[in-house]
Amino acid sequence: MSTDTPAGSDAELSSEETAELLARIEELEDEVADLRMAVNEDSNKMVIIATKGTLDMAYPPLILASTAAAFGYDVTVFHTFWGLEILHEENSKDLKLSSVGNPNMPVPNAIAALPGMDRMTTRMMRGKIDDNNVASVQELIETSLDHGVDLQACQMTIDLLDYDEDDFYDGVTTGVGAASAFQEMQEADIQLLV
Amino acid sequence: MSTETAETVDVKGQNCPMPVIKTKGAFEDLDAGETLVVVATDSGSMSDIKGWAESTDGAELLEQEEATEDGESVYKHYVRKTK
């Protein structure tokens, strides 16, 4: 309070000042409501960017996405470049393992580069997946979609790789790009690049 | 354990992440106060279901037990919906 304002009738607010203060209170109340919403437990969100299309790299994003959904998270997986293969209905059934450049393979690179090697190592991996009762990629996609995970296919790379929107599983979101992915990442608690 | 269960989630033979996901699905359909039992063969389900229950509002993990059925380890998880 200003010192040169004498106490008494002069200290009363004009109707204009009162209206201004009421407007400011309303503004602050809205802000508090927004902040409350932001810290609400129900608004947990995770975004994964999936860029790889080999059999082994299809698993981490799908397993994390479906698990996060079970934890009540709102999940988006943005598939770009070879990550599109995971959502491609036909190609997803035939994802391969790369033998070359993978030091975990039991054969040296020179042999891994021979024709047919990828087919062989992929068959071995699929056998192990079946033996260990690990879910198939299709099963994980369906589970993720059932639990509300938003599986997105990057439009720029759909065009780049000459795919058609109908090539992807039903329920996959198309027509999205880096900006929408970035916006979702901004709002997310967890952001991963796989 | 003699807990009365409203539902059984049989995930025997299924591996990570399926036990948690199927548990979540069945949990959603429970009424408050009801308990479900998850029967799994995946040993990782012991920590997975525990972690899920701790992070899930309204889920209370009553008990976890390991038994042997037909020479195979079976893990049972009792989860109650509190609200």
Side-chain angles (χ1 to χ4, degrees):
Chain A
M1 196 162 133
S2 168
T3 47
D4 58 0
T5 308
S9 58
D10 284 352
E12 278 172 27
L13 296 171
S14 68
S15 60
E16 207 174 280
E17 283 171 320
T18 310
E20 212 172 279
L21 277 176
L22 285 175
R24 180 72 185 134
I25 288 170
E26 204 173 306
E27 214 174 276
L28 287 169
E29 273 173 353
D30 286 349
E31 211 169 297
V32 169
D34 284 350
L35 286 170
R36 284 225 176 98
M37 206 122 79
V39 295
N40 191 322
E41 272 183 48
D42 295 337
S43 65
N44 284 338
K45 191 172 166 71
M46 174 166 84
V47 176
I48 300 175
I49 311 295
T51 63
K52 304 279 202 294
T54 54
L55 179 60
D56 50 335
M57 291 309 282
Y59 277 92
L62 291 175
I63 289 180
L64 280 174
S66 51
T67 301
F71 273 70
Y73 269 61
D74 182 8
V75 185
T76 296
V77 190
F78 182 80
H79 293 252
T80 185
F81 282 88
W82 314 121
L84 285 181
E85 299 294 300
I86 303 169
L87 299 183
H88 193 285
E89 200 161 358
E90 212 177 303
N91 296 359
S92 70
K93 294 171 181 140
D94 196 29
L95 297 180
K96 292 185 183 65
L97 205 63
S98 175
S99 321
V100 176
N102 184 345
N104 299 304
M105 285 292 153
V107 291
N109 274 339
I111 292 171
L114 293 174
M117 280 307 285
D118 281 353
R119 208 169 53 227
M120 198 189 85
T121 49
T122 301
R123 204 166 53 225
M124 279 167 54
M125 183 74 173
R126 284 198 189 279
K128 278 195 156 299
I129 286 170
D130 286 345
D131 291 350
N132 285 284
N133 297 312
V134 172
S136 68
V137 167
Q138 295 97 287
E139 218 175 312
L140 286 170
I141 287 174
E142 276 152 26
T143 302
S144 297
L145 289 170
D146 281 352
H147 287 79
V149 172
D150 187 10
L151 297 176
Q152 302 185 339
C154 162
Q155 192 62 44
M156 183 274 275
T157 40
I158 290 177
D159 298 342
L160 184 76
L161 299 173
D162 278 333
Y163 288 146
D164 192 89
E165 287 171 25
D166 299 334
D167 294 339
F168 301 99
Y169 284 91
D170 285 344
V172 166
T173 305
T174 53
V176 286
S180 68
F182 182 76
Q183 189 190 8
E184 299 213 42
M185 290 170 86
Q186 262 188 321
E187 296 162 359
D189 308 280
I190 301 173
Q191 305 93 349
L192 298 170
L193 174 70
V194 178
Chain B
M1 189 169 155
S2 60
T3 307
E4 198 182 311
T5 51
E7 188 162 356
T8 301
V9 182
D10 185 353
V11 285
K12 280 189 284 195
Q14 296 186 52
N15 222 320
C16 172
M18 288 307 179
V20 164
I21 289 160
K22 300 245 162 109
T23 301
K24 156 79 171 176
F27 180 78
E28 296 279 279
D29 296 335
L30 286 186
D31 288 327
E34 287 184 331
T35 299
L36 63 76
V37 58
V38 185
V39 186
T41 47
D42 169 23
S43 63
S45 68
M46 289 301 265
S47 67
D48 280 353
I49 304 272
K50 186 167 177 279
W52 172 81
E54 279 170 5
S55 303
T56 302
D57 197 28
E60 184 191 1
L61 184 60
L62 299 176
E63 190 172 335
Q64 292 182 296
E65 58 184 26
E66 188 180 341
T68 307
E69 280 178 20
D70 304 324
E72 191 176 28
S73 286
V74 172
Y75 306 89
K76 290 185 181 174
H77 317 269
Y78 294 86
V79 182
R80 196 169 83 93
K81 189 168 190 168
T82 58
K83 58 183 180 186

